[in-house]
Amino acid sequence: MKVLVTGGCGFIGSHAVDRLLQDGHEVIVIDNLSSGNARNLEHHKDNKKLSVHIASITDLEKIESLFNGVDWVFHLAALADIVPSIERPMQYHNSNVNGTICVLEACRKHNVKRIIYSASSSCFGIPDTFPTPETAEIRCQYPYAVTKYLGEEYCMYWEQIYKMNITSMRFFNVYGPRARTAGTYGAVFGVFLAQKLNNKPYTVVGDGKQTRDFTFVTDIVDACVTAAKRNDVSGHVFNVGSGNTYSINKLVGLLGGEITYIPKRPGEPDCTFADTSKISKLLGWKPKVSFEEGVKIMLDNIDYWREAPLWEPHTIAEATKDWFKYLA
Ligand code: UDP
């Protein structure tokens, strides 16, 4: 297969590239390096089956011809993180919504056979039901969640109207090596691993009893590949989760070290937990990496976070000012 990966230099994207090359596919990457890093694909630099194009997905004219002859598209390019989405909503809309439409139009023009959209479990906001099924009410809490959900809606409309073969995967708390750490205050693993390297206490939010459906990145990619292979399953939305939910205290226990507590953040759920019965039933997919194994892999790769920003309670308070201001 010829597979195009948008955001292929990013965290999840680079793992998708690893897997697709390993499976013998030809891979084309489009990435504007806004949060991705060319270093994430350095280990493939001599692989003739990979080509990397530095471009923005919002530049339809520039990217469109790259979709010629492509079988599958994994659309993983997006701006992530909550805080900057509150500060710069237009930028998020442009990348995550307009960018998605550009990708859909390029796919339509070139009759791409299969499109996998990376959606986010953040569309559920603070749900009533755990584990949370795909049918739960949409309750976006911040612009990032809205833009990822709108991207999914557009995918589903393109699927209906233009009869394209598209599946949306709602990822739950993805973690793994190369989890983004640059710049903004973001996902917990990047924050905690940098704190561990610097012998600083972990900044645990609230009482640490809140739980997350931490899903290892290779399982996420495996779910996408499984979905891509199934031409007969189009127009569906699937939760992709680990099958369980783990507290921050449990994570700290596995990482080992001291704790300092910081205030609970407004708008964040006490639990994320995917109901994965749909993906299991329709695609026969199940996660493979346990939380304990996943955390061990993170610790084995901890050097990656050496240059990551070190967050401390006062810098977190400063960085999340707008979060508390607008979502409280
Ligand atoms: N978290 C924490 N300390 C931090 C950052 C995050 O205790 O410095 C917790 C946070 O309360 C949440 C979990 O880690 O329960 C995952 O947070 P993240 O921002 O990675 O994901 P999200 O909240 O969007 O699910």
Side-chain angles (χ1 to χ4, degrees):
M1 294 288 171
K2 193 165 162 179
V3 190
L4 189 147
V5 181
T6 71
C9 296
F11 162 44
I12 304 174
S14 64
H15 284 276
V17 172
D18 287 351
R19 166 68 189 267
L20 292 163
L21 288 173
Q22 187 191 318
D23 288 356
H25 302 296
E26 185 187 331
V27 180
I28 300 163
V29 164
I30 300 177
D31 201 304
N32 69 353
L33 301 182
S34 66
S35 54
N37 191 331
R39 194 181 107 180
N40 288 340
L41 293 180
E42 213 169 63
H43 51 295
H44 296 302
K45 69 177 189 302
D46 298 323
N47 194 327
K48 300 226 159 22
K49 285 195 155 177
L50 172 67
S51 63
V52 180
H53 303 267
I54 306 305
S56 165
I57 50 165
T58 57
D59 190 349
L60 183 55
E61 248 173 59
K62 189 167 174 188
I63 63 165
E64 187 243 287
S65 60
L66 297 169
F67 290 69
N68 189 20
V70 165
D71 297 294
W72 297 347
V73 166
F74 283 26
H75 177 30
L76 298 165
L79 286 179
D81 291 324
I82 298 170
V83 182
S85 86
I86 297 168
E87 292 165 349
R88 301 187 296 276
M90 285 284 281
Q91 205 181 330
Y92 273 68
H93 184 88
N94 197 34
S95 295
N96 298 356
V97 185
N98 297 342
T100 295
I101 297 175
C102 290
V103 170
L104 289 170
E105 283 297 87
C107 290
R108 183 158 77 97
K109 172 144 194 216
H110 291 282
N111 294 314
V112 169
K113 297 191 186 84
R114 196 90 179 89
I115 302 158
I116 305 298
Y117 175 72
S118 56
S120 166
S121 64
S122 59
C123 66
F124 295 124
I126 303 177
D128 298 326
T129 316
F130 300 102
T132 309
E134 288 84 352
T135 49
E137 197 183 322
I138 299 301
R139 295 178 181 166
C140 299
Q141 301 282 318
Y142 34 81
Y144 166 74
V146 179
T147 60
K148 288 304 288 181
Y149 180 65
L150 288 177
E152 178 181 280
E153 285 281 282
Y154 274 112
C155 285
M156 292 300 124
Y157 281 113
W158 255 246
E159 201 269 346
Q160 250 181 50
I161 298 167
Y162 303 113
K163 312 284 176 270
M164 290 161 68
N165 198 323
I166 310 177
T167 295
S168 177
M169 314 294 275
R170 287 185 188 160
F171 302 157
F172 280 68
N173 290 86
V174 190
Y175 73 106
R178 303 177 216 141
R180 234 171 349 87
T181 49
T184 49
Y185 174 65
V188 65
F189 269 92
V191 175
F192 281 7
L193 290 175
Q195 289 166 343
K196 182 172 176 74
L197 280 169
N198 288 280
N199 289 317
K200 296 282 182 189
Y202 302 117
T203 49
V204 169
V205 166
D207 59 9
K209 286 187 185 150
Q210 70 274 30
T211 66
R212 288 294 181 271
D213 190 338
F214 288 114
T215 311
F216 199 67
V217 66
T218 53
D219 278 334
I220 293 281
V221 170
D222 187 54
C224 294
V225 171
T226 305
K229 286 180 181 159
R230 292 290 299 274
N231 275 333
D232 56 323
V233 185
S234 179
H236 280 276
V237 173
F238 289 107
N239 282 345
V240 190
S242 71
N244 213 330
T245 186
Y246 309 89
S247 73
I248 300 310
N249 291 331
K250 159 107 182 160
L251 170 60
V252 165
L254 291 171
L255 294 174
E258 300 298 309
I259 292 177
T260 178
Y261 293 95
I262 60 174
K264 189 169 155 48
R265 312 178 296 198
E268 78 166 331
D270 286 335
C271 172
T272 68
F273 185 12
D275 181 334
T276 51
S277 44
K278 182 176 175 187
I279 192 169
S280 155
K281 200 163 133 205
L282 263 67
L283 300 181
W285 178 84
K286 282 205 164 39
K288 297 188 181 79
V289 183
S290 73
F291 189 50
E292 286 75 7
E293 277 174 88
V295 173
K296 180 166 184 308
I297 296 170
M298 297 300 271
L299 288 172
D300 291 344
N301 287 280
I302 197 165
D303 275 341
Y304 185 86
W305 283 270
R306 257 190 216 286
E307 285 143 44
L310 171 65
W311 291 99
E312 297 184 81
H314 67 283
T315 55
I316 293 173
E318 178 61 30
T320 54
K321 247 186 1 216
D322 279 349
W323 189 335
F324 282 83
K325 177 173 159 195
Y326 291 109
L327 298 184

